Amino acid sequence: DFNFLIIKNMFFEEIDSDINDTFNVAIDKIIMNGASVEYKTISEIDRAFEISKTVFPAEAYGIWGNEIEKNPEKMFAPIRERFRSGQQILAHDYVFSLQKLNELRKSFLWKVKGFDAVLAPTSPIQPPNITQLLDDHGFFTEKNLLALRNTRIANSLNLCALTIPTETDFSGLMLMGRPNNEFDLMSVALTMEKIIK
Protein backbone atom coordinates (compact mmCIF):
# COMPACT_ATOMS: atom_id res chain seq x y z
CA ASP A 1 0.00 0.00 0.00
CA PHE A 2 1.15 3.53 -0.75
CA ASN A 3 2.07 6.08 1.89
CA PHE A 4 1.55 9.69 0.77
CA LEU A 5 2.28 13.07 2.32
CA ILE A 6 0.28 16.26 1.87
CA ILE A 7 2.12 19.41 2.94
CA LYS A 8 -0.38 21.88 4.36
CA ASN A 9 1.57 25.12 3.98
CA MET A 10 2.11 27.12 0.77
CA PHE A 11 0.56 24.68 -1.73
CA PHE A 12 -2.98 25.57 -0.64
CA GLU A 13 -2.67 29.32 -0.16
CA GLU A 14 -5.05 31.36 -2.38
CA ILE A 15 -6.40 28.15 -3.89
CA ASP A 16 -9.50 28.16 -6.11
CA SER A 17 -12.38 26.46 -4.30
CA ASP A 18 -13.18 24.12 -7.23
CA ILE A 19 -9.56 23.00 -7.43
CA ASN A 20 -9.46 22.43 -3.67
CA ASP A 21 -12.68 20.38 -3.80
CA THR A 22 -11.40 18.30 -6.72
CA PHE A 23 -8.14 17.65 -4.90
CA ASN A 24 -9.99 16.47 -1.79
CA VAL A 25 -12.21 14.15 -3.85
CA ALA A 26 -9.10 12.60 -5.42
CA ILE A 27 -7.52 12.14 -1.98
CA ASP A 28 -10.68 10.46 -0.66
CA LYS A 29 -10.56 7.99 -3.57
CA ILE A 30 -6.90 7.27 -2.91
CA ILE A 31 -7.59 6.59 0.78
CA MET A 32 -10.60 4.36 -0.05
CA ASN A 33 -8.27 2.28 -2.20
CA GLY A 34 -6.00 1.50 0.74
CA ALA A 35 -3.36 4.23 0.70
CA SER A 36 -2.40 6.10 3.84
CA VAL A 37 -2.19 9.89 3.73
CA GLU A 38 -0.49 12.09 6.30
CA TYR A 39 -0.71 15.88 6.60
CA LYS A 40 2.25 17.92 7.78
CA THR A 41 3.56 21.47 7.80
CA ILE A 42 7.17 21.62 6.63
CA SER A 43 9.04 24.89 7.08
CA GLU A 44 11.61 24.12 4.36
CA ILE A 45 8.88 24.74 1.76
CA ASP A 46 8.49 28.42 2.60
CA ARG A 47 12.20 29.03 3.12
CA ALA A 48 13.23 27.36 -0.14
CA PHE A 49 10.58 29.31 -2.03
CA GLU A 50 11.95 32.61 -0.69
CA ILE A 51 15.54 31.72 -1.52
CA SER A 52 14.56 30.70 -5.05
CA LYS A 53 13.63 34.36 -5.67
CA THR A 54 17.38 35.05 -5.65
CA VAL A 55 18.63 31.84 -7.28
CA PHE A 56 16.17 31.49 -10.17
CA PRO A 57 16.45 35.01 -11.69
CA ALA A 58 20.25 34.93 -11.45
CA GLU A 59 20.37 31.58 -13.25
CA ALA A 60 17.73 32.61 -15.79
CA TYR A 61 19.57 35.75 -16.83
CA GLY A 62 22.94 34.02 -16.72
CA ILE A 63 21.66 31.42 -19.21
CA TRP A 64 19.39 33.55 -21.40
CA GLY A 65 20.65 37.12 -20.95
CA ASN A 66 22.60 37.29 -24.23
CA GLU A 67 19.68 35.92 -26.23
CA ILE A 68 17.22 38.27 -24.57
CA GLU A 69 19.32 41.37 -25.23
CA LYS A 70 19.81 40.46 -28.91
CA ASN A 71 16.04 40.67 -29.48
CA PRO A 72 14.34 41.93 -26.31
CA GLU A 73 11.11 42.78 -28.16
CA LYS A 74 10.51 39.08 -28.85
CA MET A 75 9.92 38.35 -25.17
CA PHE A 76 6.69 39.23 -23.38
CA ALA A 77 7.55 42.30 -21.30
CA PRO A 78 6.67 41.02 -17.78
CA ILE A 79 8.69 37.84 -18.33
CA ARG A 80 11.59 39.78 -19.86
CA GLU A 81 11.75 42.08 -16.85
CA ARG A 82 11.59 39.13 -14.46
CA PHE A 83 14.58 37.57 -16.23
CA ARG A 84 16.41 40.90 -16.32
CA SER A 85 16.08 41.22 -12.54
CA GLY A 86 18.81 38.58 -12.40
CA GLN A 87 21.29 41.25 -13.55
CA GLN A 88 21.03 42.95 -10.16
CA ILE A 89 21.86 39.86 -8.07
CA LEU A 90 25.43 39.87 -6.77
CA ALA A 91 27.56 36.75 -7.21
CA HIS A 92 28.16 36.28 -3.47
CA ASP A 93 24.40 36.58 -2.77
CA TYR A 94 23.71 33.94 -5.42
CA VAL A 95 26.36 31.54 -4.05
CA PHE A 96 25.22 32.02 -0.44
CA SER A 97 21.57 31.49 -1.43
CA LEU A 98 22.40 28.36 -3.41
CA GLN A 99 24.30 26.94 -0.43
CA LYS A 100 21.31 27.59 1.85
CA LEU A 101 18.97 26.08 -0.73
CA ASN A 102 21.06 22.90 -0.90
CA GLU A 103 20.91 22.62 2.90
CA LEU A 104 17.11 23.00 2.81
CA ARG A 105 16.84 20.35 0.09
CA LYS A 106 18.71 17.83 2.26
CA SER A 107 16.63 18.68 5.32
CA PHE A 108 13.40 18.40 3.32
CA LEU A 109 14.34 14.97 1.93
CA TRP A 110 15.04 13.73 5.44
CA LYS A 111 11.57 14.88 6.58
CA VAL A 112 9.74 13.16 3.69
CA LYS A 113 11.68 9.90 3.96
CA GLY A 114 9.42 6.86 3.81
CA PHE A 115 6.68 8.46 1.70
CA ASP A 116 6.01 7.21 -1.82
CA ALA A 117 5.20 10.74 -2.98
CA VAL A 118 4.13 14.19 -1.86
CA LEU A 119 0.71 15.13 -3.27
CA ALA A 120 -0.48 18.64 -4.12
CA PRO A 121 -2.68 20.52 -6.59
CA THR A 122 -0.59 21.21 -9.72
CA SER A 123 -1.79 24.80 -9.81
CA PRO A 124 -3.89 26.63 -7.21
CA ILE A 125 -5.85 28.58 -9.84
CA GLN A 126 -7.78 27.99 -13.02
CA PRO A 127 -6.75 29.78 -16.26
CA PRO A 128 -7.39 33.54 -15.99
CA ASN A 129 -9.00 35.66 -18.70
CA ILE A 130 -6.51 35.85 -21.58
CA THR A 131 -7.48 39.38 -22.66
CA GLN A 132 -6.88 40.73 -19.18
CA LEU A 133 -3.57 38.84 -19.00
CA LEU A 134 -2.34 40.51 -22.20
CA ASP A 135 -3.67 43.99 -21.40
CA ASP A 136 -2.77 44.27 -17.71
CA HIS A 137 0.86 43.40 -16.96
CA GLY A 138 0.33 43.63 -13.20
CA PHE A 139 -2.54 41.17 -13.43
CA PHE A 140 -0.41 38.89 -15.63
CA THR A 141 2.49 38.87 -13.17
CA GLU A 142 0.22 38.15 -10.21
CA LYS A 143 -1.61 35.27 -11.91
CA ASN A 144 1.46 33.88 -13.66
CA LEU A 145 3.45 33.61 -10.44
CA LEU A 146 0.48 32.04 -8.67
CA ALA A 147 -0.15 29.54 -11.48
CA LEU A 148 3.51 28.47 -11.39
CA ARG A 149 3.93 28.50 -7.62
CA ASN A 150 3.29 24.84 -6.77
CA THR A 151 5.48 23.47 -9.54
CA ARG A 152 8.11 26.07 -8.66
CA ILE A 153 8.26 24.64 -5.14
CA ALA A 154 9.16 21.26 -6.64
CA ASN A 155 11.84 22.99 -8.73
CA SER A 156 13.19 24.84 -5.69
CA LEU A 157 13.60 21.58 -3.78
CA ASN A 158 15.09 19.77 -6.80
CA LEU A 159 12.32 17.15 -6.81
CA CYS A 160 11.09 15.10 -9.71
CA ALA A 161 7.39 15.69 -10.30
CA LEU A 162 4.54 14.90 -12.65
CA THR A 163 0.86 15.69 -12.87
CA ILE A 164 -2.11 13.48 -13.64
CA PRO A 165 -5.57 14.63 -14.71
CA THR A 166 -8.57 14.57 -12.38
CA GLU A 167 -12.29 14.66 -13.17
CA THR A 168 -12.24 18.47 -13.34
CA ASP A 169 -10.54 20.43 -16.12
CA PHE A 170 -7.43 22.42 -15.11
CA SER A 171 -7.24 20.60 -11.76
CA GLY A 172 -4.23 18.32 -12.02
CA LEU A 173 -2.93 16.19 -9.17
CA MET A 174 0.83 16.64 -8.78
CA LEU A 175 3.02 13.87 -7.40
CA MET A 176 6.49 14.82 -6.22
CA GLY A 177 9.29 12.38 -5.52
CA ARG A 178 12.95 12.32 -4.60
CA PRO A 179 15.52 13.55 -7.14
CA ASN A 180 16.34 11.08 -9.94
CA ASN A 181 13.42 8.86 -8.91
CA GLU A 182 11.32 9.31 -12.04
CA PHE A 183 10.79 5.61 -12.76
CA ASP A 184 9.29 4.87 -9.35
CA LEU A 185 7.20 8.05 -9.44
CA MET A 186 5.73 7.15 -12.84
CA SER A 187 4.86 3.69 -11.54
CA VAL A 188 2.98 5.23 -8.59
CA ALA A 189 1.26 7.75 -10.89
CA LEU A 190 -0.02 5.05 -13.26
CA THR A 191 -1.78 3.38 -10.33
CA MET A 192 -3.12 6.67 -9.00
CA GLU A 193 -4.47 7.66 -12.42
CA LYS A 194 -6.61 4.52 -12.55
CA ILE A 195 -7.96 5.20 -9.07
CA ILE A 196 -8.95 8.84 -9.41
CA LYS A 197 -10.46 8.79 -12.93
Side-chain angles (χ1 to χ4, degrees):
D1 287 342
F2 293 122
N3 186 23
F4 294 121
L5 174 64
I6 296 174
I7 297 171
K8 295 185 289 186
N9 48 314
M10 185 71 78
F11 287 107
F12 296 91
E13 292 175 8
E14 299 181 69
I15 191 168
D16 178 275
S17 59
D18 288 341
I19 290 177
N20 193 54
D21 291 345
T22 298
F23 178 81
N24 288 328
V25 167
I27 297 306
D28 287 343
K29 289 180 180 179
I30 289 168
I31 292 171
M32 285 190 298
N33 277 271
S36 63
V37 175
E38 292 184 39
Y39 292 79
K40 289 185 179 182
T41 299
I42 296 183
S43 61
E44 283 82 353
I45 291 281
D46 304 82
R47 290 157 62 199
F49 189 80
E50 280 303 308
I51 290 173
S52 73
K53 293 177 183 178
T54 298
V55 173
F56 285 2
E59 291 181 345
Y61 195 78
I63 294 168
W64 293 104
N66 288 338
E67 293 300 317
I68 291 169
E69 301 311 340
K70 283 180 194 173
N71 297 288
E73 72 286 348
K74 288 188 176 182
M75 198 170 198
F76 189 48
I79 301 296
R80 182 180 65 232
E81 297 317 307
R82 193 182 306 165
F83 275 52
R84 277 179 169 168
S85 70
Q87 290 176 293
Q88 311 305 319
I89 295 168
L90 299 175
H92 67 270
D93 288 334
Y94 168 75
V95 172
F96 176 78
S97 297
L98 191 57
Q99 288 174 335
K100 296 301 294 181
L101 189 56
N102 285 330
E103 290 172 12
L104 290 170
R105 288 169 174 173
K106 290 176 186 175
S107 177
F108 175 83
L109 290 177
W110 183 81
K111 288 186 177 181
V112 300
K113 191 175 181 181
F115 292 99
D116 294 294
V118 175
L119 306 180
T122 306
S123 172
I125 61 170
Q126 295 188 4
N129 179 278
I130 192 165
T131 302
Q132 191 173 358
L133 287 174
L134 294 173
D135 292 345
D136 183 342
H137 288 180
F139 178 79
F140 171 87
T141 297
E142 175 194 346
K143 296 302 182 183
N144 179 245
L145 290 174
L146 191 54
L148 296 174
R149 183 195 64 206
N150 290 4
T151 55
R152 183 175 173 182
I153 292 169
N155 290 338
S156 299
L157 292 166
N158 197 34
L159 307 176
C160 63
L162 56 79
T163 186
I164 55 178
T166 63
E167 291 180 343
T168 304
D169 289 343
F170 313 115
S171 298
L173 174 66
M174 180 166 61
L175 288 78
M176 291 165 279
R178 303 177 77 82
N180 306 310
N181 201 35
E182 287 85 353
F183 182 82
D184 289 343
L185 191 65
M186 284 189 284
S187 179
V188 173
L190 285 169
T191 302
M192 291 301 101
E193 189 172 21
K194 292 172 186 172
I195 289 170
I196 68 174
K197 286 199 109 177

